[in-house]
Amino acid sequence: AQSVTQLDSHVSVSEGTPVLLRCNYSSSYSPSLFWYVQHPNKGLQLLLKYTSAATLVKGINGFEAEFKKSETSFHLTKPSAHMSDAAEYFCVVTFKYTGTASKLTFGTGTRLQVTL
Amino acid sequence: DAMVIQNPRYQVTQFGKPVTLSCSQTLNHNVMYWYQQKSSQAPKLLFHYYDKDFNNEADTPDNFQSRRPNTSFCFLDIRSPGLGDAAMYLCATSSGGRVPYEQYFGPGTRLTVT
């Protein structure tokens, strides 16, 4: 069985300050891990992915995440928040589902608020 | 650009009146998924197709059906919508058989039931 825990349901930062969104996972297998972002009334956009290569993963829009196996964590960071980063962020773990389909296990989401 | 397209973006239907939501993709992916997402919740998988093979989630109500006439298109049919079916419906695709199995999402259709 696998699960994802997003430790904060809501994070508020000032524009220009660092962002940290926390995620812990549990998986029986070597996991593939993702962060998705969802802006209001929009679909989910893939920010970055970890696939057992480099543990520090760089994504779009200046985001990055570090896979720490010893801590079972995959926290998302950004050095400087921008107003456009305000959105819902989902940490996701996946495994091979049926023969070739994948099944995503979502965290409960973290709403990021960015203030002036 | 390759993408996942959903139509319409907003759909209003009446209680009990059948409705169909549409998804198309230009990624040529084998797998297509339908998710239901209610307010402030994570998406919930309803079912998926791998090519023409249909895979239903155990807790998906019988009221929800799907069709995939070809690789590019997939439809979600709600036979008798109830007020509790009002939600965002997301279509996603993935390339079957490849690591890391990420899914690519469309913009969603927001369904309102009156």
Side-chain angles (χ1 to χ4, degrees), chain A residues 5-66:
Chain A
T5 302
Q6 291 185 243
L7 297 164
D8 306 291
S9 60
H10 183 259
V11 170
S12 183
V13 301
S14 299
E15 189 176 34
T17 64
V19 175
L20 170 63
L21 305 184
R22 298 181 294 165
C23 173
N24 287 101
Y25 71 92
S26 171
S27 176
S28 303
Y29 309 93
S30 295
S32 292
L33 291 157
F34 310 101
W35 277 97
Y36 282 87
V37 61
Q38 186 176 31
H39 288 91
N41 287 310
K42 297 290 177 64
L44 277 73
Q45 182 183 19
L46 181 66
L47 271 180
L48 49 78
K49 59 188 179 188
Y50 166 76
T51 61
S52 75
T55 56
L56 182 62
V57 180
K58 294 188 183 298
I60 61 172
N61 300 334
F63 285 95
E64 62 181 39
E66 187 170 7

Side-chain angles (χ1 to χ4, degrees), chain A residues 32 34 36 38 41-44 46 49 51 90 94 96-98 100-104 106-107, chain B residues 9 31 33 35 37 42-43 48 50 55 57 88 90 96-97 100-103 105-107 110:
Chain A
S32 292
F34 310 101
Y36 282 87
Q38 186 176 31
N41 287 310
K42 297 290 177 64
L44 277 73
L46 181 66
K49 59 188 179 188
T51 61
F90 291 99
T94 189
K96 199 171 182 181
Y97 186 27
T98 58
T100 51
S102 64
K103 183 169 185 177
L104 305 184
F106 286 84
Chain B
R9 293 294 314 282
V31 194
Y33 308 79
Y35 289 85
Q37 186 180 27
H48 75 272
Y50 172 63
N55 296 271
E57 292 298 297
M88 175 76 89
L90 297 166
Y101 314 115
E102 71 265 33
Q103 294 181 17
F105 286 81
R110 181 162 297 283

Side-chain angles (χ1 to χ4, degrees), chain B residues 37-89:
Chain B
Q37 186 180 27
K38 296 191 174 180
S39 182
S40 301
Q41 296 183 18
K44 177 180 180 298
L45 182 64
L46 295 173
F47 27 59
H48 75 272
Y49 274 94
Y50 172 63
D51 287 337
K52 289 189 177 294
D53 292 333
F54 178 71
N55 296 271
N56 200 29
E57 292 298 297
D59 57 354
T60 298
D62 293 340
N63 199 26
F64 292 86
Q65 304 285 319
S66 186
R67 296 170 283 134
R68 188 179 186 186
N70 55 52
T71 299
S72 300
F73 285 87
C74 195
F75 300 98
L76 170 62
D77 301 308
I78 309 176
R79 294 192 296 186
S80 182
L83 297 178
D85 296 328
M88 175 76 89
Y89 289 88

